[in-house]
Amino acid sequence: ILRVPRALNLVFHNIFIHVPHHVEMRIPWYRLPQAAVAIEEAFPGTVVDQPLSFRKYLRSARTCKLYNFEQGNWMSYREGWTSPPSGP
């Protein structure tokens, strides 16, 4: 969870409070802050909550990619690309 000024969170629909989205994608954007608190209370010490810095954002964007649960490792988007998406 990245803490940013409230106005910025409103403009970006709480995208910086992203953990609850991965727990349950149906949580509406305006409920993400409450969901984040509930997750932190239920699983103390597992959620990283810190102020946003541009340097940290760039580092995360470079390193956080795709997780392969079958192999138990992180991989790049290129490594995760197996076939083009099928269209309608």
Side-chain angles (χ1 to χ4, degrees), residues 71-84:
Q71 296 179 12
N73 65 323
W74 287 95
M75 55 188 178
S76 68
Y77 291 118
R78 184 178 300 278
E79 292 168 325
W81 182 262
T82 55
S83 62

Side-chain angles (χ1 to χ4, degrees), residues 37-71:
V37 169
I39 291 168
E40 287 178 293
E41 289 173 354
F43 302 97
T46 59
V47 177
V48 176
D49 188 330
Q50 60 190 3
L52 173 67
S53 78
F54 193 65
R55 173 181 267 166
K56 287 179 187 176
Y57 169 77
L58 290 176
R59 185 175 11 165
S60 293
R62 276 195 314 270
T63 59
C64 295
K65 302 299 179 198
L66 301 172
Y67 189 77
N68 184 326
F69 287 94
E70 293 172 2
Q71 296 179 12

